[in-house]
Amino acid sequence: MQLTTIEAEETTMATIAFIGLGNMGGPMAANLVKAGHKVVAFDLVEASRNQAKADGAGIADSAAGAVKGADVVVTMLPAGKHVLGVWNEILPAMTKGALVIDSSTIDVESARAAHALAAKHGVLSVDAPVSGGTGGAKGATLTFMCGGEENAFAAAKPVLENMGKKIVHCGGAGAGQAAKICNNMILGISMIAVSEAFALAEKLGLSHQALFDVASTSSGQCWSLTTYCPVPGPVPTSPANNDYKPGFASALMVKDLTLAQDAAKAAGAATPLGKHAQEIYQSFDAAGQGGVDFSGIIKHVRGLARSPSS
Ligand code: NAD
């Protein structure tokens, strides 16, 4: 099947190779099967391959084997080095004019190098990192932030719509990764700001609910407060009400804040609060809290308290 056919008829089913079947990739591949695509999957881990098989995917014995004859390839891997390693392996085996989408969260530099590699092999490419976590991956409600040429994005959109509900074209090669790390830098900083405000309120004898009622309708209003409040009570669905079970693990916040710092250094941007947020989350992670939801940072913030000055 030609990619132009995918563009013209959004309901056309494709042969899709899916590489990287972890916490995110496993359910994403299952949603492509549910949408009626022929999915051929590969992961280094046997248990993940077995799960994909149970979900209805065909299983290949290598990444290069999975992509043979595929219209579209999706990779969902830990970091830039894995993506470049896998793309180096699969691109020579892919059909010219086919499409490769990377949905991993990786550094902008590696993402741009991956696009250049795809172009060298005559393959269309899109970087399409996600937000929405494992719940969004299971429920096909992810947001995809995409970077790449217009024709590559047009070919990717109907495929991504099977796994997410918001698909945004952010610009050229690497723009999806850039949007992802800028957004998550805001998130990391704002969660610390909200946590500091609650920790100060506690010391001042101000109740959580009173601070919430005022700040959520005033200029302190933000997502970290109104949707993901780091104290239990005001927002019953936030992880604070469930002993800070993720959610979004603090170790992943460290990863994203580190990617933001790497990008800032490479591009010469000043991000002092982003750097401080990275250090604070690194300390939390080093204290064995990497598996705790990132809103649990309030526990670390409280722990930094000094005795009142006289
Ligand atoms: P994961 O570690 O659960 O899955 C990664 C998978 O890649 C593993 O199953 C691993 O075996 C496989 N893999 C590694 N190298 C491979 C290779 N050479 N060939 C085939 N398979 C290989 O990670 P995850 O939670 O699924 O996250 C994947 C990506 O999505 C990461 O970049 C992460 O930062 C990003 N992300 C995760 C979340 C989340 O909530 N988990 C949210 C947003 C974005």
Side-chain angles (χ1 to χ4, degrees), residues 42-127:
F42 178 71
D43 193 289
L44 295 176
V45 174
E46 191 184 359
S48 305
R49 295 198 297 270
N50 290 342
Q51 182 58 52
K53 194 173 176 187
D55 291 336
I59 304 299
D61 55 11
S62 68
V67 306
K68 282 208 181 84
D71 306 303
V72 181
V73 176
V74 184
T75 53
M76 191 53 168
L77 300 161
K81 63 178 181 196
H82 306 99
V83 174
L84 286 172
V86 167
W87 280 36
N88 263 311
E89 185 189 339
I90 61 175
L91 283 165
M94 282 184 67
T95 310
K96 295 251 177 298
L99 167 71
V100 59
I101 302 169
D102 178 50
S103 282
S104 327
T105 302
I106 66 171
D107 58 292
V108 176
E109 217 173 310
S110 296
R112 290 187 175 147
H115 277 278
L117 214 55
K120 219 171 86 184
H121 285 87
V123 167
L124 301 178
S125 57
V126 171
D127 55 291

Side-chain angles (χ1 to χ4, degrees), residues 227-301:
T227 303
Y228 222 76
C229 190
V231 295
V235 179
T237 50
S238 77
N241 299 279
N242 189 27
D243 200 23
Y244 301 97
K245 299 223 167 64
F248 184 49
S250 295
L252 284 175
M253 179 54 86
V254 172
K255 174 187 173 180
D256 292 358
L257 289 171
T258 302
L259 289 175
Q261 283 311 295
D262 292 346
K265 254 183 235 137
T271 53
L273 287 182
K275 183 169 192 301
H276 200 176
Q278 178 205 26
E279 290 161 358
I280 289 172
Y281 273 102
Q282 275 171 338
S283 309
F284 192 49
D285 192 16
Q289 303 295 305
V292 171
D293 184 81
F294 81 105
S295 61
I297 200 68
I298 191 166
K299 298 194 275 185
H300 182 76
V301 168

